[in-house]
Amino acid sequence: NAGVMQNPRHLVRRRGQEARLRCSPMKGHSHVYWYRQLPEEGLKFMVYLQKENIIDESGMPKERFSAEFPKEGPSILRIQQVVRGDSAAYFCASSPIPGGEQFFGPGTRLTVL
Amino acid sequence: AQSVSQHNHHVILSEAASLELGCNYSYGGTVNLFWYVQYPGQHLQLLLKYFSGDPLVKGIKGFEAEFIKSKFSFNLRKPSVQWSDTAEYFCAVIGNQAGTALIFGKGTTLSVSS
């Protein structure tokens, strides 16, 4: 059973470009969480999705950020018009049930030049 | 709002020393508690978790943690650390009436010298 997969592992973007981060949950997991880790900070929750639905987006900035988890395919975190402050590690986690153990992917390290 | 505090930012130990990493949370309701570890260059892995029952929880690699409800604490312990325990350790909580996302502490970096 493959673990949570994220790609790309490293992503470099110039200011103003778009960044698309992908997350494939573990087989059988329908709950996906996105977290962001800034330097010297712990992981901060961004958004929680179930298949085709956003359940909780209270941690996601209102502008430029969006997330989806379509019926088929991976979950995608999209950042439009990136700025230097978006540089961070973005982690995806999946869970078979809400509130249970979450399994983490290797993360995507976004660098904005 | 919920929060998690990890008291030590960086801990340096020699092999065979005992380890205790502090973790306190602020949430008055029922909680699920976790310790995750991130080895250099790797992703987060679960060390142990507490949902209910015996407040002394045993995890992988000889780690254990004790949930003390009255102190809102979930400290991580290991009687004898090894060089391979060098990693970053994160305490996290889910407040069961406050959503299902993990609330993380800022992490503690453990460096073990051989």
Side-chain angles (χ1 to χ4, degrees), chain B residues 6-107:
Chain B
Q6 292 184 239
H7 313 303
N8 313 99
H9 182 63
H10 194 179
V11 172
I12 301 172
L13 294 173
S14 300
E15 273 193 317
S18 64
L19 170 73
E20 180 159 4
L21 301 182
C23 172
N24 285 89
Y25 63 92
S26 66
Y27 184 71
T30 306
V31 291
N32 293 344
L33 296 157
F34 306 82
W35 274 97
Y36 281 87
V37 60
Q38 187 174 28
Y39 297 104
Q42 297 187 28
H43 59 279
L44 275 82
Q45 302 171 40
L46 183 70
L47 267 182
L48 46 78
K49 61 189 177 188
Y50 173 81
F51 286 4
S52 64
D54 188 343
L56 184 61
V57 179
K58 295 195 183 299
I60 60 171
K61 305 188 180 186
F63 286 91
E64 65 179 31
E66 185 175 12
F67 170 50
I68 303 180
K69 188 174 181 180
S70 61
K71 295 185 177 180
F72 298 89
S73 70
F74 191 55
N75 292 355
L76 181 71
R77 299 194 292 250
K78 186 171 184 179
S80 177
V81 294
Q82 300 173 311
W83 177 80
S84 58
D85 293 324
T86 295
E88 190 154 18
Y89 293 80
F90 294 95
C91 179
V93 61
I94 295 175
N96 289 344
Q97 302 300 320
T100 65
L102 289 161
I103 307 299
F104 282 90
K106 290 191 176 182

Side-chain angles (χ1 to χ4, degrees), chain A residues 17-30:
Chain A
Q17 292 184 317
E18 178 180 287
R20 278 184 178 241
L21 289 63
R22 295 175 191 77
C23 168
S24 296
M26 288 181 70
K27 188 176 181 180
H29 290 192
S30 60

Side-chain angles (χ1 to χ4, degrees), chain A residues 3-15:
Chain A
V4 178
M5 299 173 67
Q6 289 188 250
N7 67 79
R9 294 291 304 275
H10 299 274
L11 182 62
V12 179
R13 285 287 178 265
R14 297 191 181 279
R15 280 180 295 169

Side-chain angles (χ1 to χ4, degrees), chain A:
Chain A
N1 191 4
V4 178
M5 299 173 67
Q6 289 188 250
N7 67 79
R9 294 291 304 275
H10 299 274
L11 182 62
V12 179
R13 285 287 178 265
R14 297 191 181 279
R15 280 180 295 169
Q17 292 184 317
E18 178 180 287
R20 278 184 178 241
L21 289 63
R22 295 175 191 77
C23 168
S24 296
M26 288 181 70
K27 188 176 181 180
H29 290 192
S30 60
H31 303 268
V32 167
Y33 301 79
W34 284 93
Y35 296 86
R36 177 165 65 175
Q37 184 179 29
L38 294 167
E40 303 297 319
E41 295 284 331
L43 283 77
K44 302 285 189 192
F45 165 71
M46 298 183 74
V47 61
Y48 161 40
L49 309 101
Q50 281 183 268
K51 279 290 187 182
E52 301 185 88
N53 291 304
I54 295 175
I55 308 301
D56 180 357
E57 56 183 348
S58 59
M60 196 157 68
K62 295 285 187 285
E63 297 180 356
R64 300 188 299 107
F65 286 73
S66 62
E68 62 179 25
F69 189 15
K71 187 176 180 181
E72 301 291 337
S75 175
I76 295 177
L77 180 67
R78 183 182 176 207
I79 311 172
Q80 296 178 288
Q81 299 172 7
V82 295
V83 300
R84 289 219 174 108
D86 296 333
S87 295
Y90 292 82
F91 291 92
C92 167
S94 73
S95 177
I97 57 170
E101 178 182 347
Q102 295 180 20
F103 296 80
F104 281 80
T108 294
R109 276 163 175 73
L110 172 66
T111 301
V112 179
L113 301 177

